[in-house]
Structures are given as C-alpha cells and as structure tokens.
C-alpha cells in the first residue's frame, strides 16, 4: 500500500513557499504592467513625441521597481524579526518549562481531534524526536529552517515589476504614433489576462473572475490616465 502524498497536493512547506514566491512574482508583474501602462498612455495622450513617453516610462519603471523592492524588504524584514522573536521565546520556554510545554503540545493535538491518550503519545514521540520543531510547527505554523528572506523578496519584486513594466513601454514606443495607444491597450489587456490566469491557476481557483478583475482594473487605469493626459494637453 502506498503512503506517498497525492499528486498535485503541496504537502511540503518548501513547495508552498515556492508557490507563494511565484504568486508574488505574478502580482509584481501585474503591478508593473498596470502602473507603467497608465504612465505611458497618459503621457502619450498629451504629446506625440516619443522622448517624453520614453523618459516617463523609464522613470516609472525605475521608481516602481525600487519602491516595490523597498516595500517588500521592509515588510519581510519585519515578518522575519517577528519569527525570530517567536522562535527565541519558544526555545526559552522549552528550556525553562519542558513539562508545561509537553502538556501544551498534548492539548494542541487534542484540540485537533485526537484522544487524550493518543495526543499524549504523539506529543511525547515528537518531543523525543525534536521538541523545538514540534512546538514551532504546532504553535507557530512555520518551518524554523525556512524563515522568510527579505533580500529574496526584494529582488523578486523588483525583477517581476521590471519585466511587467517593459511590456507597455515597448508597446507604446514600437508602433507608429497613430496606433501606439490602441496597440498598448490590447497588449496590456492580453498580458493582464495572462497574469490573472496564472494567478488563478496557482491559487487553484476558477479563472474567469481573476481575469476579469485584472483586465477591467487595467482598462480603467489606462482610460483614466489617457483622459487626464488629454485634459492636460488641452490646458497647456
């Protein structure tokens, strides 16, 4: 009889972390697409000259990538500090109150549906194997050997944002002036539909709603900035 995990089920904490990073990368790319598309479409609506569009797009790409990286670094660093603090507290409690910690672990497994006798046996066996990891898993819900990495988060966000931002920048600059905005609209909406589909796939949810959300949101962002660009052009 096979005791392996069912195919497609991410029982591994490492696999779950990888899926989270991949999902974050998709969302970063989505942000890069939408924000940069809004900038370049707005500027293109105000001027037919390519240089201002290029400069605005590059500035938006650089600022967005740095902002995303810094935001992720600060956020994940805070999370990592909290995780380290919780781990230090758990180590101290295990040193100073081993019996109380064993009782606590027993209670946690009993709350999950095990009988008192079985919960006690599980707690004792796991404590004998690795008390620290057993308590971290049951109480805190994360792997002490795989803490979040702020540098990895920052790099992932910056790269994914940059990749996403390049698409509308190329789409607005490559075609002739007369069709550059429609081409950018189409390219951006197709790219957003793709990121929505990937996000839904990673989350195991139906694709229709996520795709509609990102496509409609991106379309609204471009329409708003395009209108503002025309308004600004009319004022100047």
């Amino acid at each position: 009889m096979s005791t392996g995990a069912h195919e497609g089920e991410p029982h591994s904490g490492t696999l779950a972390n990888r899926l989270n990073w991949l999902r974050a990368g998709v969302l970063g790319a989505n942000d890069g697409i939408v924000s940069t598309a809004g900038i370049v479409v707005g500027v293109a609506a105000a001027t037919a000259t390519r240089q201002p569009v290029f400069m605005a797009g590059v500035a938006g790409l650089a600022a967005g990538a740095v902002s995303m990286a810094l935001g992720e670094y600060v956020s994940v660093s805070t999370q990592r500090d909290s995780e380290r603090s919780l781990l230090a507290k758990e180590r101290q409690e295990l040193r100073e109150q081993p019996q109380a910690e064993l009782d606590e672990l027993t209670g946690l497994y009993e709350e999950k549906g095990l009988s008192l006798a079985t919960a006690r046996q599980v707690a004792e066996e796991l404590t004998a194997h690795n008390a620290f990891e057993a308590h971290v898993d049951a109480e805190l819900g994360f792997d002490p050997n795989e803490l979040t990495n702020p540098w990895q988060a920052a790099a992932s966000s910056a790269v994914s944002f940059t990749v996403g931002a390049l698409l509308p920048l190329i789409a607005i600059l490559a075609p002739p002036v007369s069709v550059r905005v429609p081409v950018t609209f189409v390219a951006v909406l197709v790219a957003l539909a793709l990121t929505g589909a990937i996000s839904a796939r990673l989350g195991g949810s139906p694709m229709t709603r996520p795709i509609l959300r990102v496509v409609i949101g991106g379309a609204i962002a471009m329409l708003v900035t395009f209108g503002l660009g025309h308004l600004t052009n009319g004022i100047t």
Side-chain angles (χ1 to χ4, degrees):
M1 182 176 65
S2 173
T3 58
H6 297 295
E7 292 184 6
E9 293 184 359
H11 295 281
S12 166
T14 301
L15 177 57
N17 285 337
R18 288 177 180 173
L19 288 176
N20 285 334
W21 284 120
L22 183 55
R23 186 177 293 111
V26 171
L27 294 176
N30 183 83
D31 288 343
I33 293 169
V34 174
S35 61
T36 306
I39 292 172
V40 297
V41 166
V43 177
T47 178
T49 307
R50 276 192 169 88
Q51 185 177 9
V53 177
F54 174 74
M55 292 175 63
V58 171
L61 184 157
V66 172
S67 176
M68 287 285 291
L70 181 60
E72 281 294 317
Y73 179 81
V74 171
S75 174
V76 175
S77 292
T78 300
Q79 179 182 344
R80 188 182 181 91
D81 290 342
S82 297
E83 289 172 345
R84 285 174 168 170
S85 176
L86 290 170
L87 292 176
K89 180 182 179 182
E90 195 61 44
R91 287 191 181 94
Q92 181 180 0
E93 290 175 347
L94 283 168
R95 285 195 307 268
E96 297 176 354
Q97 308 173 56
Q99 186 58 47
E101 287 296 293
L102 178 61
D103 293 340
E104 181 182 26
L105 191 59
T106 301
L108 289 171
Y109 286 115
E110 192 176 5
E111 289 175 2
K112 292 183 178 181
L114 299 180
S115 66
L116 175 59
T118 303
R120 190 69 175 188
Q121 181 180 356
V122 169
E124 289 176 346
E125 290 184 6
L126 289 175
T127 297
H129 175 69
N130 191 318
F132 178 66
E133 288 188 2
H135 279 268
V136 171
D137 178 65
E139 295 181 41
L140 306 179
F142 60 83
D143 189 338
N145 300 313
E146 294 183 8
L147 299 184
T148 51
N149 187 324
W151 290 107
Q152 182 183 20
S156 174
S157 295
V159 170
S160 62
F161 185 95
T162 300
V163 171
L166 285 173
L167 184 141
L169 186 57
I170 294 171
I172 201 76
L173 295 173
V177 172
S178 60
V179 295
R180 64 184 181 181
V181 172
V183 168
T184 303
F185 262 84
V186 173
V188 166
L189 295 183
V190 170
L192 289 176
L194 181 60
T195 61
I198 295 173
S199 179
R201 177 76 174 180
L202 292 174
S205 62
M207 293 187 180
T208 304
R209 286 187 178 181
I211 291 175
L212 286 176
R213 280 197 297 264
V214 295
V215 168
I216 292 173
I220 291 174
M222 287 188 290
L223 288 171
V224 168
T225 56
F226 184 77
L228 290 173
H230 264 300
L231 179 62
T232 303
N233 187 36
I235 293 173
T236 57

